[in-house]
Amino acid sequence: MANQTRRRQASSKPGSEGTASAKSVKHAVGGPSPLRRLVKGLSFLLLAGGVYYYFTRMMWEHEPTKPVEDPEEDAYQVPVIVMKLPGKGMGVVAARNISQGELVLREKPLFVVPHKVTMSPGAVLLASLATLSPARRASFYNLSYVNFPEGIPEGSPRYQEELALAIFQTNAVSAGSQGVGIFPRMARLNHGCSSAFNVVYTWRDDEGVLVVHALKPLMKGEELLTTYTNTKRPRHVRREFLREHYGFDCQCSVCTLPDDLSALSDQRLTAMTDLYARFSSWQHEGVSGKEAIETAISIWRLGEEDGYWSERGQLAADVTHVAAAHADVSAAREWARLSRRWYAYELGGDSTQAREMERVAAQPQLHGAWGKRRPETVGGPEPWMSAS
């Protein structure tokens, strides 16, 4: 990976160079204990890409989980290829043209660490790895990692635990109520900021799988990029954050814009963040329903200008909530339809969120917030929003 040249392959000795994928966490050499580092690392996973399921710490009370029996057989036959990219290391590219909203990956976890276990973090991971077949165990150790503590004798018990812990911290993502999981295929996705990332991943608790959808149309041979963090921040802030927590200097198409264009992009992204704060003030009646809708439209417009398409399904769903609360039938229906469309792109047309918006679009009065604020005509999306 171009963005992760400082990462190391698990198959190499600590200190050798390598490449990695996915969700890194920071733990300083010679710093906190493995337990404290794992707790901190798993909490940090909440900041990545959008992860939709939240937890803030791990307590060690139950036994380690058993791995999924055969995740490889259940994996979706993806229209992508994992390959070494010139000057970048490993990455994922489209094997053919991929349509916007198309499912590009469906993967069960190699194993899941529950939220509560009794053993040390390294021991938990080694116990889970011991139950895997050699091939699946190799798929874990072939992943890369960052921030391996120095000075540990290779082959020692502590070395084995620290190695497993470093790989896990670098690549694990939330598996919802089940815990935190490792997904070797998804872990090969590299990072891109704001308009650069083109796929979105999410965990489906009811199915026990992680799915990845194409946020934007992809051409054959184009690299698939997800995002590891909230990228609606200025370039220097994004780069510093990624360097500190993920160990690489971001060289995505957004971070390598000329300074004048980067400054314009930073202004748009910062403005979007500020407008999101204004929009959320509707909850405490800081703005009227109509003002909230106007604010959402401004967010959408800035995203269109910057090429930042993510989170539109959620934004439109939140606006649907506002319209329903003010009992604006027409607006609630239009925003629900728009939300359903973008949820289908990001999460899949069969996702719980997309199905719920389809239900509300058919009968807005069924929305849970219906009529909870004074009646107000708030207005629907502008025509260009439905066309984009």
Side-chain angles (χ1 to χ4, degrees):
M1 299 174 195
N3 291 346
Q4 295 159 296
T5 55
R6 293 177 59 192
R7 296 189 181 186
R8 297 177 294 194
Q9 287 286 6
S11 56
S12 303
K13 294 181 179 180
S16 64
E17 292 299 320
T19 58
S21 47
K23 301 16 106 211
S24 158
V25 292
K26 179 178 182 290
H27 55 281
V29 174
S33 67
L35 176 58
R36 292 182 61 192
R37 289 193 289 104
L38 184 58
V39 173
K40 178 181 177 182
L42 294 179
S43 296
F44 173 70
L45 290 172
L46 296 174
L47 299 175
V51 178
Y52 295 95
Y53 305 91
Y54 303 96
F55 57 95
T56 58
R57 62 177 179 158
M58 292 182 72
M59 301 293 289
W60 315 102
E61 297 178 4
H62 298 305
E63 294 302 322
T65 185
K66 292 183 179 180
V68 174
E69 287 300 320
D70 198 349
E72 294 186 349
E73 288 186 359
D74 293 328
Y76 178 75
Q77 297 300 306
V78 300
V80 298
I81 301 172
V82 177
M83 61 185 295
K84 189 169 185 178
L85 304 176
K88 298 187 70 174
M90 300 301 291
V92 182
V93 301
R96 56 168 173 78
N97 292 346
I98 296 174
S99 302
Q100 184 180 20
E102 185 175 344
L103 177 68
V104 296
L105 178 64
R106 177 184 174 87
E107 184 175 12
K108 287 190 175 183
L110 196 63
F111 62 85
V112 173
V113 174
H115 296 303
K116 299 178 180 180
V117 292
T118 56
M119 303 165 67
S120 70
V124 170
L125 296 173
L126 292 179
S128 295
L129 287 165
T131 65
L132 299 177
S133 68
R136 282 183 277 173
R137 192 179 307 120
S139 72
F140 174 84
Y141 282 109
N142 283 336
L143 297 175
S144 303
Y145 59 93
V146 295
N147 299 318
F148 187 91
E150 302 292 342
I152 302 176
E154 185 173 356
S156 66
R158 186 189 170 197
Y159 179 95
Q160 297 302 326
E161 290 195 11
E162 290 286 355
L163 178 60
L165 185 58
I167 297 170
F168 185 80
Q169 289 181 319
T170 303
N171 297 281
V173 297
S174 173
S177 63
Q178 293 188 24
V180 186
I182 285 288
F183 304 84
R185 295 172 179 81
M186 176 270 177
R188 294 299 184 182
L189 292 171
N190 287 331
H191 166 83
C193 292
S194 56
S195 62
F197 73 91
N198 48 31
V199 298
V200 176
Y201 69 88
T202 186
W203 169 260
R204 292 186 175 181
D205 222 28
D206 56 340
E207 300 177 46
V209 298
L210 182 141
V211 293
V212 180
H213 289 84
L215 177 62
K216 301 178 178 181
L218 295 161
M219 299 297 292
K220 180 179 180 179
E222 184 176 355
E223 185 179 8
L224 279 65
L225 299 172
T226 189
T227 186
Y228 298 173
T229 185
N230 172 18
T231 62
K232 296 192 296 295
R233 297 181 286 182
R235 177 171 65 179
H236 74 279
V237 176
R238 298 193 308 266
R239 279 182 158 175
E240 181 180 355
F241 179 88
L242 292 166
R243 188 179 302 116
E244 178 183 1
H245 294 283
Y246 292 81
F248 67 89
D249 293 307
C250 188
Q251 299 295 318
C252 74
S253 61
V254 180
C255 284
T256 54
L257 285 171
D259 288 346
D260 57 339
L261 295 180
S262 178
L264 290 174
S265 175
D266 288 351
Q267 291 174 14
R268 289 189 290 265
L269 295 170
T270 300
M272 288 177 70
T273 298
D274 293 341
L275 287 169
Y276 266 109
R278 173 176 167 78
F279 176 77
S280 67
S281 70
W282 174 86
Q283 301 175 67
H284 309 291
E285 302 189 31
V287 295
S288 67
K290 185 173 179 59
E291 289 172 331
I293 270 61
E294 291 172 348
T295 302
I297 292 174
S298 296
I299 294 172
W300 204 287
R301 181 178 291 108
L302 286 170
E304 187 70 16
E305 293 173 3
D306 202 69
Y308 189 96
W309 292 6
S310 187
E311 303 162 11
R312 285 182 168 180
Q314 184 62 61
L315 176 59
D318 290 342
V319 179
T320 302
H321 182 106
V322 173
H326 289 288
D328 188 335
V329 175
S330 177
R333 179 174 287 115
E334 290 180 52
W335 283 106
R337 287 172 177 166
L338 188 59
S339 176
R340 193 271 172 202
R341 173 187 167 192
W342 281 94
Y343 269 145
Y345 291 151
E346 293 193 73
L347 310 181
D350 59 340
S351 64
T352 300
Q353 295 89 336
R355 293 198 302 268
E356 172 60 17
M357 286 298 100
E358 187 171 11
R359 183 183 73 90
V360 172
Q363 195 169 350
Q365 294 88 342
L366 294 178
H367 195 287
W370 185 261
K372 292 189 175 181
R373 295 282 181 92
R374 63 176 179 80
E376 182 182 352
T377 301
V378 299
E382 295 185 353
W384 62 269
M385 296 171 65
S386 297
S388 64

